[in-house]
Amino acid sequence: MTGAKKKKKSMLWGKMHTPQCEDIIQWCRRRLPILDWAPHYNLKENLLPDTVSGIMLAVQQVTQGLAFAVLSSVHPVFGLYGSLFPAIIYAIFGMGRHVATGTFALTSLISANAVERIVPQNIQNLTTPSNTSVMGLSDFEMQRIHVAVAVSFLGGVIQVAMFVLQLGSATFVVTEPVISAMTTGAATHVVTSQVKYLLGMKMPYISGPLGFFYIYAYVFENIKSVRLEALLLSLLSIVVLVLVKELNEQFKRKIKVVLPVDLVLIIAASFACYCTNMENTYGLEVVGHIPQGIPSPRAPPMNILSAVITEAFGVALVGYVASLALAQGSAKKFKYSIDDNQEFLAHGLSNIVSSFFFCIPSAAAMGRTAGLYSTGAKTQVACLISCIFVLIVIYAIGPLLYWLPMCVLASIIVVGLKGMLIQFRDLKKYWNVDKIDCGIWVSTYVFTICFAANVGLLFGVVCTIAIVIGRFPRAMTLSIKNMKEMEFKVKTEMDSETLQQVKIISINNPLVFLNAKKFYTDLMNIIQKENSCNQPLDDISKCEQNTLLNSLSNGNCNEEVSQSCPNEKCSLILDCSGFTFFDYSGVSMLVEAIVPLSLPYDLHVVSMIQVYMDCKGRSVDVLLAHCTASLIKGMTYYGNLDSEKPIFFESVSAAISHIHSNKNLSKLSDHSEV
C-alpha cells in the first residue's frame, strides 16, 4: 500500500512539473510576439504598404540617428548603429506593431550627461585616427561611446529586472498629464541643446540644475559670436521643413507617397556645402567623416557601470514610459492589445543586445511612430525593411554625408520635436476637466526644464500619488457603503407585454486613474453577461436580485452577477452622488472610446464616457443621477454627447420617471438613445 501511494505521488509530482508542449508554445508566443503575427502575415495586402512605410522610416532613422548621436555627445556614426539593431530586437520581442524603436532625443540627452561628465571635451588630446581604435576613430571618440554604451547596457538590465519583477502593472501611476509634461519639458531641453548649432556658436557643454537657463544666459552674453550664415541656413531649413510637412499632412489623402523632405534637404545641403566649400569659406561645422561598415561586437565596459547608474535609471524609466505611451496609443488606434511587462522585456533586450554593437540608448520616438501611421504601415515588417535601407547607408552612402552642415541637422531635430512641443495645447483640456491635473502638468514641466527629464518624471509621479492620497481621506465619509445593484421590473406595452429591466448602481467612491480601469471592467462585465444570456421568457420570474460588486477602493468583485432575461430593454442608472471628485482619466472613461468591449483598454483612455458610449452601443439606456456641475461640465467639454436626449438627472427618481415616460421608445429601435 505504501509503495502504491509513493508511486501515485511521484506520478502526480511528475505531471505537475512536466511542461506540456502547448504550454511551451504559448510561452514562446507570449515572449516572442513575432511568432504570433508573422505566420499570419498577408503578403498581398501588407507587403506594399509596409515597404513604402519602411523606406520613409529609413529616412527618419538615418537623419535622427545622426542627430541624436551628436545630441548624445558621441560620433554621428554610432547613431546609425542605434537606428539598426534596436529596431530588429524590438520587432522580435515587442508587441507594438506601429512602434518605431531606435535613437531617441530624451535618452540621448540623459546619456550625454554621463558622457560629458566622465569624458569631458577638455581632455581631448588624441584626435588623430588610431590603428588600434574601432573603425579608425580616435581614442577620445571611443572613450565617449564606451560611456554611452555602458548607460545603454545598464539601462537595459534595469528594464529586464523590472520585467522579472512584473512592474509593468505599476505604470498606471504615470498618468497622461505627467507623461505629456515630462516629454514636453524634455523636448524643450533638446531644442535648447541645439541652439549652439542653429546659431553656429562655439559653446561649452552646460548641464546640471538650472542648466537650461545658463545656456540662454551664455548665448545672450556671447551674441556677437553668432555666425550669420549658420543662422540663415537654419531658418531656411526650418521654414522648408515645416512648410513641406504641413503640406504633406494636408494632402496626405490625395497623394499616395509623401515627399521625404528630410532626405531632400540633407542631399541639397550636403551638395551645396560641398560645391561652395562652406566648411572653410564660412566656417560652418559639418558632420565630418562617417566610417563604413559595422564593427565587430564588443562587450560594454563593466568598470564604469557604477559611475553611470543615475543616467541608466533615467534612460530605463524615461525611455520605457515614453515608448509605452506610444505603444498603447497605437494599440488603441488599431485595436490590438499589448502587455506592459512584455514591453519592459522588449526595450530592455533592445538596449542590452545593441550595447554590444556600439549603440547609444534607444526607445520609441513620437515622430517615427506618427510617420508609420501616416504612411499606412501594417506590421513591424515596415521597421525590418527600414533596417535594410539603414544598412545600405552604413555600407555605401555614409561617407557622402561628410559635408552635411550641423545647423541643418539641428533644424531637422527641432522640427522633428514638433509633436512633443505642441503638447502645450493639452493645458486647455486639463484646465477645463480638472484643474489639479493642470497644476500637475505645469509643475512637472517646470521641474523637467529646471533639472532633468527623469527628475521631472519622478516629481510628477510623487505629486500625483500625494494628491490622490490627500484627496481620498476627504471622501471617506461618502465611501462607507459598497457599490450596490438593485433590480426591479417595469412593465411596458408593446405587441406583447415584456419586461424592462432597470439597474440602479450607486457608486460611492471617487473616480480617478487609480480605479478607473477596474470600474470600467466590472461594469462592462455586467453588460456582457446580460447580453449573452439565453434564458427563456418562461424563466423570467426566476431572475434574482444580486450584489454588483464591492467598493472600487478595494477593487474586488465578491458577488456573482445575475444574468438578465433576454428580450428585455435594459436601462442603467448611475447614481453619481459618490463622485466626490474625479480627474481627467476618470472623465475620459465616460465619453471617449467607441471600441469593442472585447479589447483591453489603456488606463488613460478608459473612463466613464466609455461606459456611456459602450452601453449605448449595446442597446442599454444610460442615465446619470446626482451629477455635480463640474462632472457635467467635464463630460460635456470632453465628449460629443447626444444633446437631443437628456442623460443627466437631479435624482434617481427623476431618472426612473423619465424611463416610464419613454416606455414606448423600444418600439422604434433596439439601440440605446440617451
PDB file of all heavy atoms in Angstrom, residues 302-323:
ATOM      1  N   MET A 302      32.565  47.112 -18.102  1.00  0.00           N
ATOM      2  CA  MET A 302      31.891  46.887 -16.824  1.00  0.00           C
ATOM      3  C   MET A 302      32.460  47.751 -15.697  1.00  0.00           C
ATOM      4  O   MET A 302      31.825  47.907 -14.659  1.00  0.00           O
ATOM      5  CB  MET A 302      31.997  45.399 -16.440  1.00  0.00           C
ATOM      6  CG  MET A 302      31.397  44.467 -17.467  1.00  0.00           C
ATOM      7  SD  MET A 302      29.607  44.736 -17.661  1.00  0.00           S
ATOM      8  CE  MET A 302      29.254  43.741 -19.113  1.00  0.00           C
ATOM      9  N   ASN A 303      33.649  48.301 -15.901  1.00  0.00           N
ATOM     10  CA  ASN A 303      34.303  49.039 -14.822  1.00  0.00           C
ATOM     11  C   ASN A 303      33.698  50.414 -14.572  1.00  0.00           C
ATOM     12  O   ASN A 303      33.997  51.052 -13.557  1.00  0.00           O
ATOM     13  CB  ASN A 303      35.803  49.183 -15.115  1.00  0.00           C
ATOM     14  CG  ASN A 303      36.061  49.881 -16.439  1.00  0.00           C
ATOM     15  OD1 ASN A 303      35.292  49.737 -17.377  1.00  0.00           O
ATOM     16  ND2 ASN A 303      37.140  50.638 -16.513  1.00  0.00           N
ATOM     17  N   ILE A 304      32.860  50.899 -15.487  1.00  0.00           N
ATOM     18  CA  ILE A 304      32.273  52.233 -15.283  1.00  0.00           C
ATOM     19  C   ILE A 304      30.763  52.167 -15.046  1.00  0.00           C
ATOM     20  O   ILE A 304      30.101  53.212 -15.024  1.00  0.00           O
ATOM     21  CB  ILE A 304      32.562  53.156 -16.485  1.00  0.00           C
ATOM     22  CG1 ILE A 304      31.953  52.584 -17.765  1.00  0.00           C
ATOM     23  CG2 ILE A 304      34.050  53.397 -16.647  1.00  0.00           C
ATOM     24  CD1 ILE A 304      32.071  53.533 -18.952  1.00  0.00           C
ATOM     25  N   LEU A 305      30.225  50.973 -14.852  1.00  0.00           N
ATOM     26  CA  LEU A 305      28.777  50.854 -14.650  1.00  0.00           C
ATOM     27  C   LEU A 305      28.325  51.600 -13.403  1.00  0.00           C
ATOM     28  O   LEU A 305      27.262  52.230 -13.389  1.00  0.00           O
ATOM     29  CB  LEU A 305      28.367  49.383 -14.563  1.00  0.00           C
ATOM     30  CG  LEU A 305      28.512  48.550 -15.843  1.00  0.00           C
ATOM     31  CD1 LEU A 305      28.008  47.139 -15.613  1.00  0.00           C
ATOM     32  CD2 LEU A 305      27.754  49.192 -17.003  1.00  0.00           C
ATOM     33  N   SER A 306      29.124  51.515 -12.333  1.00  0.00           N
ATOM     34  CA  SER A 306      28.739  52.186 -11.091  1.00  0.00           C
ATOM     35  C   SER A 306      28.714  53.705 -11.253  1.00  0.00           C
ATOM     36  O   SER A 306      27.992  54.403 -10.534  1.00  0.00           O
ATOM     37  CB  SER A 306      29.703  51.802  -9.968  1.00  0.00           C
ATOM     38  OG  SER A 306      31.031  52.161 -10.307  1.00  0.00           O
ATOM     39  N   ALA A 307      29.493  54.225 -12.197  1.00  0.00           N
ATOM     40  CA  ALA A 307      29.568  55.683 -12.390  1.00  0.00           C
ATOM     41  C   ALA A 307      28.391  56.211 -13.205  1.00  0.00           C
ATOM     42  O   ALA A 307      28.161  57.430 -13.219  1.00  0.00           O
ATOM     43  CB  ALA A 307      30.883  56.047 -13.073  1.00  0.00           C
ATOM     44  N   VAL A 308      27.664  55.338 -13.894  1.00  0.00           N
ATOM     45  CA  VAL A 308      26.571  55.797 -14.770  1.00  0.00           C
ATOM     46  C   VAL A 308      25.215  55.294 -14.301  1.00  0.00           C
ATOM     47  O   VAL A 308      24.251  55.319 -15.060  1.00  0.00           O
ATOM     48  CB  VAL A 308      26.826  55.349 -16.235  1.00  0.00           C
ATOM     49  CG1 VAL A 308      28.117  55.924 -16.758  1.00  0.00           C
ATOM     50  CG2 VAL A 308      26.830  53.823 -16.358  1.00  0.00           C
ATOM     51  N   ILE A 309      25.122  54.841 -13.061  1.00  0.00           N
ATOM     52  CA  ILE A 309      23.872  54.225 -12.601  1.00  0.00           C
ATOM     53  C   ILE A 309      22.717  55.218 -12.583  1.00  0.00           C
ATOM     54  O   ILE A 309      21.566  54.877 -12.871  1.00  0.00           O
ATOM     55  CB  ILE A 309      24.078  53.573 -11.208  1.00  0.00           C
ATOM     56  CG1 ILE A 309      22.852  52.737 -10.848  1.00  0.00           C
ATOM     57  CG2 ILE A 309      24.388  54.623 -10.147  1.00  0.00           C
ATOM     58  CD1 ILE A 309      23.067  51.830  -9.663  1.00  0.00           C
ATOM     59  N   THR A 310      23.010  56.489 -12.259  1.00  0.00           N
ATOM     60  CA  THR A 310      21.946  57.505 -12.245  1.00  0.00           C
ATOM     61  C   THR A 310      21.367  57.704 -13.641  1.00  0.00           C
ATOM     62  O   THR A 310      20.139  57.706 -13.839  1.00  0.00           O
ATOM     63  CB  THR A 310      22.498  58.842 -11.723  1.00  0.00           C
ATOM     64  OG1 THR A 310      23.053  58.644 -10.428  1.00  0.00           O
ATOM     65  CG2 THR A 310      21.390  59.887 -11.649  1.00  0.00           C
ATOM     66  N   GLU A 311      22.241  57.872 -14.628  1.00  0.00           N
ATOM     67  CA  GLU A 311      21.777  58.037 -16.012  1.00  0.00           C
ATOM     68  C   GLU A 311      21.093  56.775 -16.524  1.00  0.00           C
ATOM     69  O   GLU A 311      20.143  56.861 -17.310  1.00  0.00           O
ATOM     70  CB  GLU A 311      22.940  58.412 -16.922  1.00  0.00           C
ATOM     71  CG  GLU A 311      23.470  59.816 -16.737  1.00  0.00           C
ATOM     72  CD  GLU A 311      24.396  59.972 -15.547  1.00  0.00           C
ATOM     73  OE1 GLU A 311      24.793  58.934 -14.964  1.00  0.00           O
ATOM     74  OE2 GLU A 311      24.735  61.108 -15.194  1.00  0.00           O
ATOM     75  N   ALA A 312      21.569  55.613 -16.089  1.00  0.00           N
ATOM     76  CA  ALA A 312      20.963  54.354 -16.531  1.00  0.00           C
ATOM     77  C   ALA A 312      19.517  54.246 -16.054  1.00  0.00           C
ATOM     78  O   ALA A 312      18.631  53.820 -16.807  1.00  0.00           O
ATOM     79  CB  ALA A 312      21.782  53.171 -16.032  1.00  0.00           C
ATOM     80  N   PHE A 313      19.264  54.634 -14.810  1.00  0.00           N
ATOM     81  CA  PHE A 313      17.890  54.630 -14.315  1.00  0.00           C
ATOM     82  C   PHE A 313      17.030  55.623 -15.094  1.00  0.00           C
ATOM     83  O   PHE A 313      15.867  55.343 -15.406  1.00  0.00           O
ATOM     84  CB  PHE A 313      17.863  54.962 -12.817  1.00  0.00           C
ATOM     85  CG  PHE A 313      17.862  53.747 -11.934  1.00  0.00           C
ATOM     86  CD1 PHE A 313      19.014  53.367 -11.270  1.00  0.00           C
ATOM     87  CD2 PHE A 313      16.725  52.984 -11.776  1.00  0.00           C
ATOM     88  CE1 PHE A 313      19.031  52.241 -10.456  1.00  0.00           C
ATOM     89  CE2 PHE A 313      16.722  51.855 -10.968  1.00  0.00           C
ATOM     90  CZ  PHE A 313      17.880  51.480 -10.298  1.00  0.00           C
ATOM     91  N   GLY A 314      17.601  56.780 -15.404  1.00  0.00           N
ATOM     92  CA  GLY A 314      16.858  57.762 -16.191  1.00  0.00           C
ATOM     93  C   GLY A 314      16.500  57.235 -17.564  1.00  0.00           C
ATOM     94  O   GLY A 314      15.364  57.387 -18.028  1.00  0.00           O
ATOM     95  N   VAL A 315      17.471  56.603 -18.224  1.00  0.00           N
ATOM     96  CA  VAL A 315      17.225  56.017 -19.547  1.00  0.00           C
ATOM     97  C   VAL A 315      16.163  54.927 -19.463  1.00  0.00           C
ATOM     98  O   VAL A 315      15.251  54.847 -20.308  1.00  0.00           O
ATOM     99  CB  VAL A 315      18.534  55.462 -20.135  1.00  0.00           C
ATOM    100  CG1 VAL A 315      18.259  54.510 -21.292  1.00  0.00           C
ATOM    101  CG2 VAL A 315      19.429  56.603 -20.595  1.00  0.00           C
ATOM    102  N   ALA A 316      16.259  54.071 -18.446  1.00  0.00           N
ATOM    103  CA  ALA A 316      15.320  52.952 -18.309  1.00  0.00           C
ATOM    104  C   ALA A 316      13.891  53.438 -18.101  1.00  0.00           C
ATOM    105  O   ALA A 316      12.959  52.938 -18.744  1.00  0.00           O
ATOM    106  CB  ALA A 316      15.749  52.050 -17.154  1.00  0.00           C
ATOM    107  N   LEU A 317      13.713  54.415 -17.221  1.00  0.00           N
ATOM    108  CA  LEU A 317      12.363  54.862 -16.880  1.00  0.00           C
ATOM    109  C   LEU A 317      11.779  55.794 -17.932  1.00  0.00           C
ATOM    110  O   LEU A 317      10.658  55.593 -18.400  1.00  0.00           O
ATOM    111  CB  LEU A 317      12.385  55.552 -15.513  1.00  0.00           C
ATOM    112  CG  LEU A 317      12.755  54.652 -14.330  1.00  0.00           C
ATOM    113  CD1 LEU A 317      12.805  55.466 -13.044  1.00  0.00           C
ATOM    114  CD2 LEU A 317      11.775  53.500 -14.179  1.00  0.00           C
ATOM    115  N   VAL A 318      12.550  56.809 -18.327  1.00  0.00           N
ATOM    116  CA  VAL A 318      12.047  57.774 -19.295  1.00  0.00           C
ATOM    117  C   VAL A 318      11.802  57.104 -20.649  1.00  0.00           C
ATOM    118  O   VAL A 318      10.757  57.317 -21.284  1.00  0.00           O
ATOM    119  CB  VAL A 318      13.019  58.955 -19.443  1.00  0.00           C
ATOM    120  CG1 VAL A 318      12.597  59.877 -20.579  1.00  0.00           C
ATOM    121  CG2 VAL A 318      13.106  59.735 -18.140  1.00  0.00           C
ATOM    122  N   GLY A 319      12.765  56.289 -21.087  1.00  0.00           N
ATOM    123  CA  GLY A 319      12.606  55.596 -22.365  1.00  0.00           C
ATOM    124  C   GLY A 319      11.408  54.671 -22.372  1.00  0.00           C
ATOM    125  O   GLY A 319      10.638  54.625 -23.340  1.00  0.00           O
ATOM    126  N   TYR A 320      11.225  53.931 -21.263  1.00  0.00           N
ATOM    127  CA  TYR A 320      10.104  52.989 -21.202  1.00  0.00           C
ATOM    128  C   TYR A 320       8.764  53.714 -21.167  1.00  0.00           C
ATOM    129  O   TYR A 320       7.822  53.338 -21.881  1.00  0.00           O
ATOM    130  CB  TYR A 320      10.240  52.092 -19.973  1.00  0.00           C
ATOM    131  CG  TYR A 320       9.026  51.220 -19.737  1.00  0.00           C
ATOM    132  CD1 TYR A 320       8.790  50.100 -20.530  1.00  0.00           C
ATOM    133  CD2 TYR A 320       8.099  51.540 -18.750  1.00  0.00           C
ATOM    134  CE1 TYR A 320       7.668  49.310 -20.332  1.00  0.00           C
ATOM    135  CE2 TYR A 320       6.977  50.755 -18.543  1.00  0.00           C
ATOM    136  CZ  TYR A 320       6.765  49.645 -19.338  1.00  0.00           C
ATOM    137  OH  TYR A 320       5.650  48.867 -19.139  1.00  0.00           O
ATOM    138  N   VAL A 321       8.658  54.744 -20.336  1.00  0.00           N
ATOM    139  CA  VAL A 321       7.382  55.461 -20.204  1.00  0.00           C
ATOM    140  C   VAL A 321       6.979  56.102 -21.534  1.00  0.00           C
ATOM    141  O   VAL A 321       5.826  55.991 -21.965  1.00  0.00           O
ATOM    142  CB  VAL A 321       7.490  56.527 -19.093  1.00  0.00           C
ATOM    143  CG1 VAL A 321       6.302  57.472 -19.142  1.00  0.00           C
ATOM    144  CG2 VAL A 321       7.570  55.856 -17.731  1.00  0.00           C
ATOM    145  N   ALA A 322       7.931  56.757 -22.191  1.00  0.00           N
ATOM    146  CA  ALA A 322       7.612  57.384 -23.480  1.00  0.00           C
ATOM    147  C   ALA A 322       7.242  56.337 -24.533  1.00  0.00           C
ATOM    148  O   ALA A 322       6.306  56.533 -25.321  1.00  0.00           O
ATOM    149  CB  ALA A 322       8.804  58.211 -23.956  1.00  0.00           C
ATOM    150  N   SER A 323       7.968  55.223 -24.544  1.00  0.00           N
ATOM    151  CA  SER A 323       7.692  54.163 -25.528  1.00  0.00           C
ATOM    152  C   SER A 323       6.361  53.486 -25.249  1.00  0.00           C
ATOM    153  O   SER A 323       5.603  53.166 -26.175  1.00  0.00           O
ATOM    154  CB  SER A 323       8.823  53.129 -25.510  1.00  0.00           C
ATOM    155  OG  SER A 323      10.062  53.728 -25.790  1.00  0.00           O
TER     156      SER A 323
END
